Amino acid sequence: MKTFKQIQALVKQELRSATRARYVILSFVLGPLFMWGIQGGIQALMGFMITSSQQTETLYVANYDLGNSRSDFAPFSNLGELFIQSLNTSSQSPDSLLEGATINTDTYSSWEYSELIELINNPQKADEATPLVIIPKNFTDVYLAYNSSLNHTISPVVELYTLPSGLIGSSVIEAAVTMTAKSLFTKVIVEKDVTVSTKMITFPGEEEAVSGFGIGFIGMISIMVAVMVPSSFVSTSFAGEREKKTMESLLALPISRFNILFSKLLAGMVLVGIFTVMNIIGLLGFSAIIGSIKNDSYSSVFSIEPSVDMLVLTTLMMLLSAFIAMGIGISLASLSKDVRSAESMYTFTMMFPAIGVGMIGMIGGLPEQTFGGIGLLFYLIPWTHSTALLSKGLYPQTYASSTLTGSIPLDLVLHFGYLLFLIFACLFVASKVFEREGILT
Amino acid sequence: MKIREKASLLPQEAEVYENLTARENILYYGQIYGSPNGEIVQRTEELIDMIGLRGRENDVTKEFSGGMKRKVLVARTLVMDPDLIFLDEPTTGIDILGARTVRNLIKKLSKELHKTIILTTHDLAEVEELCDRVGIIVKGKLAAIGTPDELEEKFQKAGIEDVFIGLTTGEGVLEEDQHFPKKKRSLVSRLLKRSEGN
């Protein structure tokens, strides 16, 4: 009971001090709102620039569709051509992201499918042929069979191959065809039945990763801020007490060093919890900003549609990452003489790994997919497990072929377990470092 | 831990928590000791009156002068009513009025409340004013201990300051001090002999 009261008193004091310091309001409450608002503004500006840009991109199309081989569906002779027609129409529409794009159906019209695949898998030549849409030879037949089948087990697929830097993605294609479709038939194709399989080509020849822009962006921002935001609190709470000469008196009180450490961490986690909530609010606001842009093509590409799973996993990821960052930060702060040194050490130690992991998450890949075997070394960085937890948790099918343990559930357990282990390891190290704090030194 | 529950320490360079009010600073330390909340609140109010902070108790200590901060520190040190109090240069660095307040408080604690106070100071006038027994440390070692009168008589000096100067310079200091156990006596003796040789 006494220990509980002591910890309670310490936590209340930390929170009271922190909330009366301006940095807390700025960092933990206004910071995330500001950050997502700025990002929303940047994305909106990007959308304006993209939609008003004079630069065109060439979209190559190879149509292998043999058309309707069933005599009982006479009006639908070749859906592949209908698809291309919609792309052409949207490329001339001022509201479309495909505006000004050249729909090139000639260059690869005589190529075999296998030749095209070989071309786009060639690192030196892939950019000559991408973005590339391949309409398979049984496109019309499969669609008709899909429609007439009660089970709807097979849906027609249009393949889109693009490089990570390409602007044209599956959402653009879908939106482009949808917005210009005049017939109910074409709308039905894109909205309900057709799977546009986007394959993001990544070299050197690793399996492609598929995850939307939205989740990659959320993962990057969430990791970076979860790691960097605790800097001010950790530095002030530990190095700051030493600098302000309150540590010595505190250590002379009848409270164990571990309880002091634990209380400060607990207070930090309360602040991180507040920050996470504000981050989620900012994320929802960002999604609303992007969704309100009156450009279906743009918002279909860049908008984020937060689901409950996404919000829960993002929250968990941020809390775990922040806890580890604070554990490491305490050890660094205990080695520093003052707040500025502690903050500098923290930033220097955390920034580059956080940015690296965030960027990998942004492009939607896992480290071993992006860098091959050597990418496994990234798993030494704690936050790689956080992004992996988020990606695999939300898109288990997408990453099913890229598991470390052979199954997605086991991978999730591995990542979560590793993060928990690291938390305790950091606490242990931090408590040993904190033990060095002396009285009357 | 048991010693820390009975004793209280005010380091020389201690500081208040500047983002907390005077009351919150004192309450915080009381809560660390784990006393019932009602007792802590009552004790805090008593201390606020004792040290003369009434009227400023709800002000954030960032705005306080050095003397007022020192008062808050002293109050914080006393919040759990310790039996043994260590005060490391409590009046250093504060104004004359503040120092006077702190000295009066120490006198009250010692004479009226019968607290055991171990005070370290470089101000020998303060020593003569406040201390019942004096220990003089020379080069990190306890060179003499006793009441002021005893020390003056023993070392044949007119005041504590002269005793101190005598001990540090080796001037006119008696060879043996019977208050020391043999080990310490021998150290003092060596110090004295060394100074005679010079």
Side-chain angles (χ1 to χ4, degrees):
Chain A
M1 190 63 185
K2 182 181 173 183
T3 303
F4 173 77
K5 280 188 177 178
Q6 288 180 326
I7 292 172
Q8 188 183 33
L10 270 160
V11 171
K12 279 168 70 174
Q13 182 272 325
E14 285 290 337
L15 292 176
R16 199 175 279 141
S17 288
T19 49
R20 287 179 188 170
R22 280 187 226 116
Y23 77 88
V24 171
I25 303 297
L26 287 174
S27 304
F28 289 86
V29 177
L30 297 179
L33 298 179
F34 186 69
M35 178 191 67
W36 283 105
I38 289 287
Q39 194 59 44
I42 292 172
Q43 293 291 356
L45 187 62
M46 274 176 61
F48 173 76
M49 289 168 61
I50 287 169
T51 54
S52 62
S53 169
Q54 296 301 312
Q55 291 183 347
T56 60
E57 191 172 357
T58 301
L59 175 65
Y60 297 96
V61 183
N63 182 15
Y64 296 105
D65 191 6
L66 296 174
N68 178 20
S69 62
R70 294 172 57 156
S71 58
D72 50 341
F73 283 97
F76 307 118
S77 56
N78 192 306
L79 297 182
E81 287 181 6
L82 200 59
F83 199 90
I84 295 171
Q85 217 172 26
S86 295
L87 292 175
N88 275 314
T89 308
S90 70
S91 71
Q92 289 149 24
S93 167
D95 292 331
S96 170
L97 274 178
L98 277 187
E99 182 197 1
T102 302
I103 310 299
N104 184 328
T105 56
D106 298 328
T107 303
Y108 299 108
S109 59
S110 60
W111 286 49
E112 295 289 332
Y113 178 82
S114 57
E115 288 177 307
L116 276 179
I117 297 300
E118 193 181 323
L119 174 67
I120 60 169
N121 278 310
N122 184 333
Q124 278 76 41
K125 294 190 176 178
D127 59 343
E128 294 174 7
T130 52
L132 172 66
V133 167
I134 298 179
I135 304 169
K137 60 183 179 182
N138 60 349
F139 184 69
T140 302
D141 274 350
V142 171
Y143 175 80
L144 295 176
Y146 180 77
N147 262 305
S148 60
S149 162
L150 290 174
N151 291 330
H152 289 211
T153 53
I154 303 172
S155 61
V157 174
V158 169
E159 298 174 11
L160 169 65
Y161 293 89
T162 180
L163 289 170
S165 57
L167 284 175
I168 295 179
S170 62
S171 300
V172 174
I173 298 294
E174 289 177 20
V177 175
T178 306
M179 67 180 295
T180 58
K182 302 229 183 303
S183 71
L184 181 64
F185 170 74
T186 313
K187 285 179 73 64
V188 167
I189 287 179
V190 176
E191 289 177 5
K192 289 186 192 295
D193 299 329
V194 166
T195 302
V196 180
S197 170
T198 299
K199 296 181 194 257
M200 187 77 72
I201 303 167
T202 56
F203 295 108
E206 288 294 328
E207 290 182 22
E208 58 273 359
V210 176
S211 65
F213 162 80
I215 195 59
F217 184 70
I218 290 173
M220 181 184 80
I221 295 292
S222 300
I223 282 290
M224 287 173 64
V225 295
V227 169
M228 299 310 299
V229 159
S231 163
S232 53
F233 170 78
V234 169
S235 308
T236 306
S237 185
F238 288 86
E241 282 236 34
R242 197 180 308 113
E243 186 179 291
K244 291 179 184 172
K245 299 181 172 58
T246 53
M247 182 69 83
E248 201 171 9
S249 303
L250 184 63
L251 292 174
L253 295 175
I255 180 171
S256 68
R257 281 180 171 78
F258 182 81
N259 283 347
I260 295 174
L261 173 73
F262 181 70
S263 303
K264 287 178 179 290
L265 267 176
L266 206 56
M269 287 309 293
V270 170
L271 292 173
V272 169
I274 294 171
F275 170 80
T276 303
V277 169
M278 300 310 295
N279 193 57
I280 297 295
I281 293 173
L283 191 161
L284 293 171
F286 171 80
S287 177
I289 290 173
I290 298 300
S292 68
I293 294 173
K294 302 296 180 197
N295 185 313
D296 290 339
S297 298
Y298 174 81
S299 58
S300 71
V301 174
F302 291 99
S303 68
I304 298 170
E305 295 178 8
S307 61
V308 173
D309 288 351
M310 179 192 291
L311 294 177
V312 168
L313 276 172
T314 302
T315 302
L316 183 66
M317 180 186 74
M318 291 186 73
L319 288 173
L320 290 173
S321 300
F323 209 124
I324 293 170
M326 281 201 286
I328 297 172
I330 290 165
S331 303
L332 294 174
S334 298
L335 298 171
S336 310
K337 291 196 181 306
D338 52 48
V339 174
R340 284 206 181 97
S341 305
E343 280 191 3
S344 299
M345 282 178 69
Y346 186 102
T347 304
F348 183 75
T349 306
M350 307 290 199
M351 181 184 286
F352 293 110
I355 289 175
V357 170
M359 292 305 294
I360 293 172
M362 175 68 183
I363 62 175
L366 298 173
E368 63 272 27
Q369 293 174 328
T370 308
F371 300 108
I374 202 166
L376 290 172
L377 289 175
F378 271 84
Y379 283 103
L380 292 174
I381 303 173
W383 308 296
T384 307
H385 292 265
S386 300
T387 55
L389 192 68
L390 184 66
S391 300
K392 292 178 186 177
L394 287 177
Y395 299 102
Q397 281 88 23
T398 303
Y399 296 99
S401 59
S402 308
T403 58
L404 298 172
T405 61
S407 84
I408 287 290
L410 273 179
D411 264 23
L412 293 178
V413 170
L414 169 72
H415 294 310
F416 184 69
Y418 184 74
L419 288 171
L420 278 184
F421 162 74
L422 268 182
I423 285 170
F424 284 106
C426 289
L427 273 178
F428 177 78
V429 170
S431 66
K432 288 300 174 191
V433 174
F434 194 60
E435 287 284 326
R436 295 171 59 218
E437 292 287 345
I439 303 177
L440 301 176
T441 54
Chain B
M1 200 69 74
K2 287 193 184 304
I3 294 172
R4 285 192 237 163
E5 288 173 0
K6 298 291 184 189
S8 192
L9 167 69
L10 176 58
Q12 179 182 355
E13 295 189 350
E15 283 292 342
V16 295
Y17 289 95
E18 290 188 338
N19 285 331
L20 302 183
T21 64
R23 175 183 276 122
E24 285 167 349
N25 262 280
I26 302 167
L27 274 173
Y28 171 47
Y29 267 51
Q31 286 162 350
I32 297 284
Y33 281 101
S35 303
N37 207 43
E39 280 182 28
I40 300 168
V41 171
Q42 187 182 352
R43 178 76 179 147
T44 302
E45 297 304 320
E46 287 170 6
L47 285 166
I48 289 171
D49 289 323
M50 190 191 298
I51 59 174
L53 276 178
R54 186 60 66 187
R56 298 294 305 274
E57 69 272 21
N58 292 322
D59 293 342
V60 175
T61 53
K62 193 188 294 188
E63 302 159 7
F64 283 14
S65 65
M68 289 185 68
K69 285 184 182 176
R70 187 59 65 161
K71 287 183 191 178
V72 173
L73 287 169
V74 171
R76 205 172 70 179
T77 307
L78 303 174
V79 71
M80 47 74 75
D81 200 17
D83 297 326
L84 178 62
I85 305 168
F86 292 87
L87 300 175
D88 186 5
E89 308 222 31
T91 58
T92 300
I94 58 175
D95 60 279
I96 296 171
L97 282 175
R100 171 52 52 193
T101 305
V102 173
R103 286 196 200 105
N104 288 340
L105 184 59
I106 294 172
K107 265 194 252 183
K108 185 175 180 178
L109 287 168
S110 170
K111 310 292 182 213
E112 294 178 26
L113 300 177
H114 307 292
K115 299 295 179 185
T116 302
I117 300 173
I118 297 178
L119 170 75
T120 62
T121 181
H122 287 105
D123 186 343
L124 295 174
E126 193 170 88
V127 170
E128 291 188 351
E129 181 187 349
L130 298 175
C131 300
D132 299 316
R133 285 173 62 79
V134 179
I136 298 175
I137 296 177
V138 177
K139 294 183 182 177
K141 296 191 189 304
L142 189 61
I145 189 166
T147 66
D149 291 336
E150 285 171 355
L151 291 174
E152 287 170 14
E153 187 182 338
K154 186 177 303 175
F155 294 100
Q156 301 290 297
K157 298 293 178 185
I160 289 295
E161 184 176 336
D162 291 336
V163 173
F164 178 77
I165 292 171
L167 281 171
T168 49
T169 59
E171 174 192 331
V173 172
L174 295 180
E175 274 203 34
E176 288 189 12
D177 173 28
Q178 296 188 6
H179 286 275
F180 285 89
K182 279 191 179 175
K183 191 174 178 182
K184 289 188 180 174
R185 198 177 298 146
S186 66
L187 284 171
V188 174
S189 300
R190 284 205 298 273
L191 279 171
L192 292 172
K193 282 179 183 172
R194 192 178 301 160
S195 63
E196 279 176 4
N198 292 339

